[in-house]
Amino acid sequence: MKPSLWSQFIKWCGVVFDSISNFVSRNFGSNVGLAVFAFILSAVIIHVISERTGVEKEFTVPVKIVMNTKNTALSNFSPTEVKVSLKGSLEDLNVVDASLLHAEIVVRDDYASGQQITRRLYSTSIRNNGKLRVEDITPNDIDIVFDKEARYRVPVELPALIGEPLQGGKASVSFIGSKEVVVTGSELVLARLVEGGLVFSTRSIDVTNRSNSFERDVELIVPPDLGIKLIEPKTVKVAVMIELPLSDVVPHPLADSILSEGIANNTEEVGKINKGNNDPVNST
């Protein structure tokens, strides 16, 4: 509820309370009746306020497992999504970004390959819920399976170029340095993915109305739930070359005079050379 509306609501409740109090005082005097009416009215007001500030809504959110371990990688876990009931004011519900909501479990201990554990989600496990209270999480138990940690080199695709450079120019892109990244994660999962031809794509680059070449660090696009613990580096450096048509190259203001002067000088030098060749002293 907006501050102005909230103030009006409180003011209205006060007016109603005073009206009922005056009515009771005039008809019944200052006795138990006033206390009873005041109690009932207070209960109604509290109920209204509670209902207004206690809107509840259910969200389906993803589960994220954060691996802060030395030698253990994540193999798989389930479920990957849970239903979360959040409660709060209508204003807080409208402010929260549902796309950022998630349940998070942090694993800090090392486990043997193939070992399974069960971790429970609590209200503190829900991230980015703002001022909303967590009323319920269903289901709240997450089964996690671990694997031996391994490292693999994974190739990276060149980013796609979107748009067109200035005046119909041409754009091309190439890697600067390595076109591979080192991935750390589940040995079982990564081995299967690498054998299947795993390649990371990259964010596209917009070259619309570009006239100069440039370099850029491009972010990788990593599919979720790959059992990946770490990627090094997280970006790759590329060079984007922009070639404009010759007709679009703006000549230097003094280009014509410089060219004319150069031609005149060359003509004079050629004349001197020819004259020297005709001199009897120099002839053979």
Side-chain angles (χ1 to χ4, degrees):
M1 184 181 293
K2 295 182 179 179
S4 59
L5 296 178
W6 178 257
S7 300
Q8 293 177 7
F9 176 73
I10 296 298
K11 184 177 180 180
W12 177 82
C13 291
V15 171
V16 173
F17 181 83
D18 290 340
S19 299
I20 295 178
S21 298
N22 292 333
F23 173 80
V24 173
S25 297
R26 288 195 306 268
N27 294 274
F28 304 98
S30 301
N31 53 22
V32 179
L34 178 60
V36 173
F37 271 86
F39 176 81
I40 295 175
L41 181 58
S42 299
V44 171
I45 293 174
I46 293 173
H47 175 73
V48 172
I49 295 175
S50 176
E51 287 297 317
R52 185 60 184 174
T53 60
V55 182
E56 188 170 338
K57 186 176 181 180
E58 185 177 80
F59 297 86
T60 299
V61 305
V63 177
K64 294 184 179 181
I65 309 297
V66 179
M67 298 295 295
N68 288 344
T69 58
K70 294 182 178 179
N71 303 306
T72 303
L74 175 67
S75 178
N76 62 79
F77 64 95
S78 64
T80 57
E81 292 182 337
V82 294
K83 294 185 181 298
V84 179
S85 294
L86 300 178
K87 189 174 183 179
S89 68
L90 186 59
E91 182 179 359
D92 291 336
L93 277 171
N94 292 332
V95 169
V96 71
D97 188 348
S99 64
L100 299 179
L101 287 172
H102 66 275
E104 184 175 287
I105 294 177
V106 180
V107 179
R108 294 184 173 86
D109 298 326
D110 283 311
Y111 295 90
S113 177
Q115 185 174 352
Q116 176 177 321
I117 66 171
T118 300
R119 284 287 182 86
R120 175 153 294 186
L121 295 173
Y122 300 95
S123 59
T124 54
S125 304
I126 307 303
R127 300 287 189 266
N128 301 318
N129 55 313
K131 297 180 181 180
L132 300 177
R133 302 185 304 275
V134 179
E135 295 293 314
D136 184 58
I137 304 174
T138 306
N140 61 351
D141 285 338
I142 308 298
D143 295 325
I144 307 173
V145 181
F146 301 101
D147 190 17
K148 181 181 177 181
E149 186 178 280
R151 291 178 176 83
Y152 286 88
R153 290 188 175 274
V154 178
V156 179
E157 290 181 343
L158 283 169
L161 301 180
I162 58 176
E164 292 187 1
L166 191 67
Q167 297 298 323
K170 294 182 179 180
S172 60
V173 61
S174 60
F175 286 108
I176 300 177
S178 178
K179 52 186 177 182
E180 292 182 330
V181 294
V182 178
V183 178
T184 303
S186 166
E187 182 177 39
L188 180 64
V189 175
L190 290 181
R192 183 175 66 250
L193 292 173
V194 171
E195 290 176 2
L198 176 64
V199 178
F200 290 147
S201 56
T202 51
R203 303 289 180 188
S204 58
I205 299 177
D206 191 354
V207 296
T208 302
N209 293 330
R210 285 275 193 169
S211 59
N212 297 317
S213 300
F214 59 95
E215 298 178 359
R216 178 165 297 179
D217 291 324
V218 187
E219 183 182 355
L220 303 178
I221 300 177
V222 181
D225 304 329
L226 293 185
I228 293 176
K229 181 179 178 180
L230 180 66
I231 298 178
E232 296 177 311
K234 296 181 179 179
T235 61
V236 292
K237 183 178 287 293
V238 298
V240 179
M241 303 298 296
I242 304 294
E243 298 181 18
L244 298 180
L246 293 178
S247 59
D248 294 323
V249 178
V250 179
H252 192 279
L254 302 178
D256 291 337
S257 61
I258 293 173
L259 180 61
S260 299
E261 183 179 351
I263 293 175
N265 291 338
N266 288 339
T267 302
E268 183 179 350
E269 291 297 327
V270 171
K272 291 180 179 179
I273 293 173
N274 289 336
K275 182 178 179 180
N277 290 338
N278 294 329
D279 193 333
V281 177
N282 296 329
S283 60
T284 53

